[in-house]
Amino acid sequence: MRLTLRVWRQRDADTPGAMVTYDIDGISEDMSFLEMLDTLNEKLILRGEEPVAFDHDCREGICGACGVVINGDAHGPERTTTCQLHMRHFDDGDTVDVEPWRAGAFPVVKDLVVDRSAFDRIIGAGGYISVPTGAAPEAHATPVPKADADFAFEHAECIGCGACVAACPNGSAMLFTSAKVNHLNVLPQGAPERETRVLDMVSAMDEEGFGGCTLTGECATACPKGIPLPSIAAMNKEWLRATRKASRR
């Protein structure tokens, strides 16, 4: 397979970037998108050129480290992570644009690498359980209704890749934040901090400079794990509950 790649190159956060065109051939349809970028980098290194910087780690669709905008779509044309996207979804002779996440809260570090530490600070603001648990309890000492367990598990699938932010026209982190809030708030272990968690995490999200949510749906469409858009509505109910309780104090 032969491709024309238009890749965003940017030396650092303070240097203007631009799209640079590369022609590449010998690409197998069984390669992942990141393996294709590895092949490009091997050719660049052999020519004495600077390789393209991009994030990756597990390459199994679990860690959330990878993530680029491919032909205008976060993670590309399939609902999966960039590392699990295979080149069989492209045609021989295609021109493929590869860009970093575009959001004010995700500044470019170099080329396709962006700083997503804002997510860490949101989680740090409330993504914890502070209750002393002591020894391990009996397996069924605190039963969790199946509906709550399924809801929590669904939201625990968020890997924090940032595709929801990159896809949102406002650069909102509401889907990410709602997933982290909803995951913990429905479980018995997270109940004691339920009100403070939602207030603290939403406040941290606002302070990080993410845009406002207008429920356009791009975030849920881009999410490789399929976190549903109603998650935001569920978190909004938690936020209203917490603010009303706080106002009565």
Side-chain angles (χ1 to χ4, degrees):
M1 182 185 295
R2 178 186 293 271
L3 299 171
T4 297
L5 300 178
R6 292 177 5 105
V7 183
W8 183 260
R9 303 304 307 265
Q10 185 170 345
R11 185 180 300 275
D12 53 47
D14 299 323
T15 304
M19 300 292 280
V20 178
T21 300
Y22 301 102
D23 292 319
I24 184 171
D25 57 12
I27 300 301
S28 167
E29 65 177 15
D30 295 323
M31 285 182 176
S32 73
F33 199 86
L34 294 190
E35 288 173 328
M36 182 275 293
L37 290 179
D38 289 337
T39 301
L40 170 63
N41 279 343
E42 288 175 2
K43 295 179 182 297
L44 292 177
I45 291 170
L46 288 174
R47 296 204 303 249
E49 299 179 32
E50 183 78 12
V52 177
F54 61 91
D55 274 328
H56 64 93
D57 192 2
C58 74
R59 299 202 179 202
E60 295 180 347
I62 298 171
C63 70
C66 69
V68 292
V69 174
I70 303 167
N71 286 342
D73 294 323
H75 286 305
E78 297 292 313
R79 175 171 275 188
T80 187
T81 55
T82 302
C83 65
Q84 295 291 288
L85 175 68
H86 289 88
M87 298 311 296
R88 67 179 67 98
H89 298 292
F90 301 89
D91 295 324
D92 184 40
D94 275 355
T95 296
V96 182
D97 289 349
V98 191
E99 302 171 80
W101 292 158
R102 299 293 191 184
F106 289 162
V108 173
V109 176
K110 182 177 181 180
D111 295 339
L112 304 177
V113 179
V114 299
D115 181 358
R116 288 174 285 183
S117 59
F119 273 4
D120 298 329
R121 291 186 287 273
I122 291 174
I123 293 176
Y128 58 85
I129 294 192
S130 63
V131 178
T133 56
E138 291 290 332
H140 301 292
T142 308
V144 180
K146 187 175 187 307
D148 290 348
D150 290 344
F151 184 81
F153 183 80
E154 181 178 54
H155 291 78
E157 290 187 11
C158 171
I159 56 177
C161 68
C164 54
V165 177
C168 176
N170 291 337
S172 172
M174 276 293 287
L175 189 64
F176 166 81
T177 305
S178 67
K180 299 308 177 184
V181 167
N182 292 330
H183 165 212
L184 294 177
N185 276 19
V186 299
L187 297 177
Q189 300 94 326
E193 295 88 10
R194 185 175 177 180
E195 286 81 19
T196 56
R197 176 179 297 111
V198 65
L199 293 177
D200 290 344
M201 292 182 77
V202 170
S203 177
M205 179 186 69
D206 290 341
E207 290 173 1
E208 292 296 336
F210 290 101
C213 173
T214 54
L215 294 175
T216 54
E218 284 93 337
C219 56
T221 302
C223 176
K225 298 301 179 180
I227 303 297
L229 191 63
S231 304
I232 296 176
M235 194 203 73
N236 281 336
K237 290 180 180 178
E238 289 287 301
W239 182 82
L240 287 172
R241 177 178 181 271
T243 53
R244 286 169 182 167
K245 186 169 183 178
S247 66
R248 291 196 296 267
R249 292 173 181 168

